[in-house]
Amino acid sequence: MPVTAVIGAQWGDEGKGKIVDAISGDYDFCVRFNGGNNAGHTIHNENGQMVLHLIPAGIFRERVVCVIGNGVVVHPQSLWSEMNEVMAMGVPLESMRERLKISSRAHVVMPWHIILDELQESARGREKIGTTSRGIGPVFSDKTGRHGIRMGDFVRMREREFRAWFTNEFYRNVTIIKALYDGMIAMGFSQEAEEAMNDSSADSHIRELLALREVLAPYVCETEELLWEAADKGARILLEGAQGVHLDPDFGTYPFVTSSPCTPAGACLGSGLRPVLLTRVIGVAKAYCTRVGSGPFPTCIKGSLQEALRKKGNEYGATTGRPRLVGWPDLTLLRYSANLGVTEWAITKLDVLAGMRLIPVCVAYGSNGKPIYKAFRGWNEDIQQCTRFAELPPAVKKYLRFIEEKTGVPVKYISTGPKREQIITR
Ligand code: IMP
């Protein structure tokens, strides 16, 4: 059976959670392949509303096996509290036990990663990346720098070995933090850093982590082997991406990017599935653009219109609550993402654009680097009730066909509202 991936085609926050939640019923496996709890996937379904950060959105489907893949980084405290939230939303513990699998190769976020993220950001001053402060950059640095610890080792090491490993890494990081950031800490830049990394705190971190590994251990396994076997038996597998192509460390707006791959190729890397199996890649794109954190954003809307769209689209970070910058649609971004392997689009939040007289759509950049727009006539109709493509107002159809024409990729899904059923499939 071919494998499907869902990836963000802009700067994250495109509504991937909604798309995965809507289609995951057609799959046997739902696999997160990148990022960590920097992601926030908002789900509205019959169980209520919840923001998922680490657990794949398929968890609310009774049969779907949910995998946290090798490409993900796991913050044990956050994962455990998210598991409890999911259970409070009606997923029984036995079902979670059966269906949630964590890769033994996924790296673990340690207390120093979060502290270092915060200190590195403060030290950048005006060049801040605007990270989510979840330790993502430092934990992926440790992964490639070969100082990290993976879930398999974390839960299977003898207690004595874990204590020794933790103590050694803790003091290595205290040394780094003191050498580089002592001045900043003394100036009160991070009270948390001081408290989390003093001698007496090592033992309380160890105790907390030992308790967490106990509860997480039953979920840890060699997920790549599970997925190989499933693929060979013809299982339907959905790979769920976090962030978006333009936050990818290679293809995004470096250095204002995240630290793990967000591309279709990254979906194979972060799950262990053979690239040849990945024949369907759904690129999720908002009908306009948003960006949170720092970095270039050429189509950013000026003035009060931006605030109006932010409010209407509820454009506030699902993880950090930060207001997102809002911009006009940018088809050059989508064309770029399409070149990395998108085979169909899911366009989200089209309903938010209703009521605009004109919609400027960026189609290219001039030699001065400024966006070149083509203006589209807007629509006033509320499209939230539309269930078929044919029911959409002519102006909406025209805009969607233009996206197809400019990117060479067909629009397969159109999300017309936050609820699971508010989606048009073509
Ligand atoms: P980090 O991933 O926390 O290191 O943040 C790096 C950049 O990626 C910052 O600009 C963040 O705002 C952005 N970012 C990370 N995760 C997400 C996400 O899930 N949605 C949108 N932006 C994100």
Side-chain angles (χ1 to χ4, degrees):
M1 262 313 213
V3 173
T4 304
V6 171
I7 65 153
Q10 294 155 327
W11 285 288
D13 305 323
E14 299 92 350
K16 296 176 290 293
K18 149 88 196 249
I19 301 297
V20 172
D21 184 53
I23 67 173
S24 54
D26 298 334
Y27 290 85
D28 305 305
F29 284 77
C30 184
V31 186
R32 252 292 290 278
F33 65 78
N34 68 340
N37 60 330
N38 49 349
H41 294 170
T42 309
I43 309 287
H44 301 253
N45 59 27
E46 66 272 9
N47 301 321
Q49 182 186 328
M50 184 187 166
V51 182
L52 291 165
H53 301 283
L54 280 163
I55 301 178
I59 199 71
F60 294 109
R61 303 275 187 184
E62 252 171 48
R63 268 182 333 93
V64 179
V65 177
C66 290
V67 174
I68 297 179
N70 55 280
V72 178
V73 288
V74 176
H75 183 245
Q77 291 88 337
S78 305
L79 177 58
W80 181 235
S81 65
E82 196 170 312
M83 287 163 71
N84 282 292
E85 257 189 86
V86 166
M87 287 191 267
M89 286 264 290
V91 176
L93 176 65
E94 310 79 69
S95 175
M96 181 92 83
R97 273 281 175 94
E98 238 170 66
R99 296 191 297 118
L100 181 66
K101 314 281 174 192
I102 307 167
S103 168
S104 58
R105 295 171 185 275
H107 276 247
V108 187
V109 180
M110 285 287 151
W112 47 86
H113 295 133
I114 297 168
I115 303 297
L116 278 166
D117 195 357
E118 197 175 302
L119 290 168
Q120 284 168 1
E121 276 285 274
S122 301
R124 279 175 183 267
R126 285 156 57 103
E127 301 298 307
K128 263 190 209 354
I129 289 166
T131 70
T132 57
S133 314
R134 298 297 188 270
I136 301 300
V139 70
F140 279 109
S141 300
D142 270 357
K143 176 177 177 176
T144 47
R146 294 153 298 181
H147 274 287
I149 183 166
R150 306 195 286 181
M151 282 302 291
D153 295 323
F154 173 54
V155 302
R156 291 169 193 157
M157 258 180 190
R158 285 171 201 276
E159 184 179 323
R160 190 165 37 85
E161 268 181 284
F162 177 70
R163 279 182 183 277
W165 177 85
F166 186 95
T167 308
N168 191 36
E169 279 301 317
F170 182 85
Y171 286 108
R172 192 178 71 83
N173 280 282
V174 167
T175 309
I176 293 171
I177 288 171
K178 283 211 170 120
L180 293 177
Y181 305 109
D182 221 19
M184 272 170 49
I185 293 174
M187 281 162 67
F189 260 97
S190 177
Q191 175 103 32
E192 224 178 290
E194 210 170 355
E195 281 165 15
M197 298 304 279
N198 70 32
D199 285 357
S200 62
S201 68
D203 215 51
S204 75
H205 288 306
I206 292 176
R207 260 182 282 122
E208 187 185 13
L209 287 164
L210 285 173
L212 282 161
R213 74 176 199 154
E214 217 42 43
V215 291
L216 295 178
Y219 301 87
V220 178
C221 64
E222 279 56 53
T223 54
E224 70 283 12
E225 292 179 14
L226 183 76
L227 291 171
W228 295 336
E229 202 186 315
D232 289 344
K233 285 190 179 146
R236 297 159 305 171
I237 302 174
L238 181 62
L239 305 179
E240 175 186 352
Q243 291 89 41
V245 166
H246 297 272
L247 285 173
D248 179 84
D250 281 277
F251 298 103
T253 46
Y254 190 88
F256 302 101
V257 294
T258 189
S259 302
S260 66
C262 312
T263 58
C268 296
L269 204 56
S271 62
L273 282 165
R274 296 182 284 281
V276 72
L277 293 171
L278 183 59
T279 49
R280 244 189 108 189
V281 177
I282 304 171
V284 186
K286 232 177 242 182
Y288 46 97
C289 276
T290 59
R291 177 155 204 172
V292 63
S294 323
F297 190 25
T299 65
C300 192
I301 300 172
K302 297 194 176 61
S304 57
L305 188 54
Q306 177 175 174
E307 181 56 23
L309 266 181
R310 180 180 303 121
K311 280 219 175 90
K312 192 165 176 206
N314 191 25
E315 296 298 353
Y316 300 90
T319 297
T320 58
R322 293 180 291 179
R324 297 173 184 146
L325 292 174
V326 182
W328 298 120
D330 186 341
L331 297 189
T332 68
L333 285 188
L334 300 195
R335 212 157 40 226
Y336 194 92
S337 301
N339 276 320
L340 289 163
V342 172
T343 61
E344 58 204 71
W345 296 120
I347 306 293
T348 61
K349 290 198 148 178
L350 248 184
D351 53 308
V352 176
L353 287 182
M356 308 270 309
R357 202 170 58 79
L358 281 178
I359 304 169
V361 178
C362 171
V363 289
Y365 283 87
S367 51
N368 56 2
K370 298 241 186 289
I372 298 171
Y373 292 105
K374 175 176 163 64
F376 269 79
R377 191 133 52 86
W379 57 90
N380 284 318
E381 296 91 330
D382 176 10
I383 61 165
Q384 289 218 359
Q385 314 309 328
C386 296
T387 53
R388 289 183 308 119
F389 186 78
E391 292 168 18
L392 291 169
V396 174
K397 286 188 195 146
K398 195 167 170 201
Y399 174 45
L400 293 173
R401 290 200 175 111
F402 189 68
I403 295 177
E404 294 183 321
E405 187 193 310
K406 282 286 168 195
T407 59
V409 171
V411 173
K412 168 89 179 166
Y413 300 100
I414 300 140
S415 167
T416 54
K419 300 211 181 87
R420 184 186 265 174
E421 56 283 4
Q422 287 178 307
I423 192 162
I424 295 173
T425 306
R426 274 169 95 196

